[in-house]
Each structure stands twice: as structure tokens, then as C-alpha cells.
Amino acid sequence: MSELIVEHLSKTFATRGEPLIVLRDASLSLGAGENAAILGPSGSGKSTLLFIIGTLDAPSGGSVRLNGTDPFSLDEAQLAEFRNHTIGFVFQDHYLLPQLTVLENVLIPAMADGAPSREAVERAKYLLGRVGLSERRDHRPAELSGGERQRAGVARALLLKPALVLADEPTGNLDRKSAAAVGELLIEMQREERTMLLVVTHSLELASRFGRRYEIDDGVLKHNDQ
């Protein structure tokens, strides 16, 4: 069974003066099919926490275990493979490659091991259908609306059936209607795929849709289900 356990994470950056403490003793856990939102103002440490959980940055202290594995004990090649197959990412900026079609962009995670398999191509087409982009899969990103580009990003994140999906302000660049649609789609797809979903956001409206809510301020993470 999928499981995320984060215990006593801290992150400190060296400066010319006093060390800059970004995270202080942050802990949380998720199981298969569960989701959680982390709220907090800019500079509170929420994106840093997400990047550490996503193995894009290393903690100064504490531990992360995903499906029983400590990713920070892996060498660089092992970590890259673990991240690609176990974690899906949805960013505020979609990061779709402009020269590729929507379908080719969704297939990018499968290209790390060479040409994508027939099964990967069929899954990409299925996911694009689920996010409402079947008719747009041969378009370039510039031909899509902001909401459509973000939906393509959701499909890409789910391609390899990751145990965990991390979303960093996934609705931050969208108008209210598109933001609501993308937020609903994220949760719907997460439940359908039985993956874990962790989102950091400024949006109280988006956070209210999640089963568990946390707040982070000045690097301190607190559980808040109100």
C-alpha cells in the first residue's frame, strides 16, 4: 500500500549572517487515496516543503519515506528513476514544451527510458480523454487556453501511475472558473487513480475541497481541519 511519512523535516540555508531557517520540525503523513492541502502565505516555506517531499531538494534534518523507501539514501541515478516512477508533479506554470504536441508532452515521463511503449501511448490518450483534451492532443501548447494547458499537466503527472502527486499552486495562474475546474479535476483524478495528492496553495476555496488541511507559517506546519 502507498504511504508517505514525513517526520521532523527542517531546512536551513547558510547566509553571511545568521542561518535562514525555512522549515522547522514539519511532519505529516498520507495513505493511498488520501489528499491534503497546505495553506500559507508567500515565503512561509510551503513550496520548500513540497520540493523536499518531491526529492527536488534535500532537507537539513528529518526524514521522508515514500512506500517504505528513503529517497535521500539513493544515489543520483536511483533517485532520478525513483522520482520519475513514484512522484508526479503539477506546477503553477505548466512547463509544457512548446515544440511538442499535447500528446508528446504528456508522454515525456515515459521517454526517460527511451521511446514510449504502446501501453504508455494508450494511457496518455486515455488520460487526455479523461481531462477533456482528446480533440486537442495534436495541438501545440500555444494553441491551448491556460486551463487546457494545466489539464494537460495533470495528465502528464499521472502517466506512470505515481504513488504520490504533488501540486504547487496548480490554480494560481488561472481565472476563477478555470481554477475551480482544474481543482475539481485534480481531486477527481486522484480518487479515481487511488494515488496520494498533496497540494500547496494560497486558495482557501481549493483547500476546502481536500480531506486534510495544514497551515504553514514561518516554517511551522500545523494541522488544521477547520
Side-chain angles (χ1 to χ4, degrees):
M1 177 180 287
S2 297
E3 186 177 38
L4 170 68
I5 301 174
V6 176
E7 294 184 313
H8 310 299
L9 277 191
S10 63
K11 182 66 178 180
T12 302
F13 293 96
T15 69
R16 291 185 179 182
E18 293 293 318
L20 176 63
I21 301 173
V22 179
L23 286 178
R24 311 166 189 264
D25 196 29
S27 299
L28 61 85
S29 63
L30 283 177
E34 293 183 339
N35 59 48
I38 300 174
L39 283 158
S42 296
S44 61
K46 62 185 187 300
S47 290
T48 298
L49 175 58
L50 201 75
F51 289 167
I52 292 173
I53 294 172
T55 75
L56 298 174
D57 197 2
S60 301
S63 65
V64 175
R65 295 193 72 83
L66 180 54
N67 291 357
T69 297
D70 173 6
F72 299 108
S73 69
L74 304 176
D75 64 32
E76 188 173 342
Q78 291 171 329
L79 179 58
E81 182 177 4
F82 177 84
R83 182 191 302 122
N84 190 47
H85 287 87
T86 313
I87 306 171
F89 295 92
V90 181
F91 297 102
Q92 181 172 350
D93 295 312
H94 51 80
Y95 293 119
L96 300 178
L97 298 180
Q99 70 272 28
L100 300 183
T101 66
V102 171
L103 178 60
E104 289 167 339
N105 268 286
V106 172
L107 282 166
I108 284 175
M111 295 178 183
D113 302 319
S117 66
R118 178 177 296 180
E119 290 79 7
V121 173
E122 289 306 311
R123 177 159 171 80
K125 291 178 180 178
Y126 162 76
L127 288 169
L128 284 171
R130 285 292 293 111
V131 303
L133 292 176
S134 285
E135 303 300 318
R136 310 285 268 167
R137 68 190 189 198
D138 294 324
H139 288 64
R140 297 291 194 274
E143 300 174 283
L144 305 183
S145 69
E148 287 173 331
R149 288 193 288 267
Q150 200 63 309
R151 282 189 269 150
V154 172
R156 180 184 56 195
L158 292 169
L159 180 70
L160 298 184
K161 300 182 180 180
L164 173 65
V165 173
L166 300 175
D168 186 13
E169 297 285 2
T171 62
N173 286 343
L174 304 178
D175 61 71
R176 186 169 183 175
K177 183 178 179 180
S178 296
V182 168
E184 184 176 340
L185 175 67
L186 255 179
I187 296 171
E188 178 183 330
M189 294 295 291
Q190 172 256 326
R191 288 173 177 164
E192 182 178 302
E193 297 278 326
R194 291 290 297 167
T195 188
M196 297 177 285
L197 173 62
L198 184 63
V199 170
V200 299
T201 182
H202 287 93
S203 172
L204 289 169
E205 184 176 350
L206 177 61
S208 69
R209 299 168 180 253
F210 283 73
R212 197 177 305 168
R213 288 172 293 282
Y214 295 87
E215 289 188 23
I216 189 167
D217 192 17
D218 194 27
V220 177
L221 184 69
K222 296 180 181 179
H223 194 209
N224 179 7
D225 280 343
Q226 296 182 356

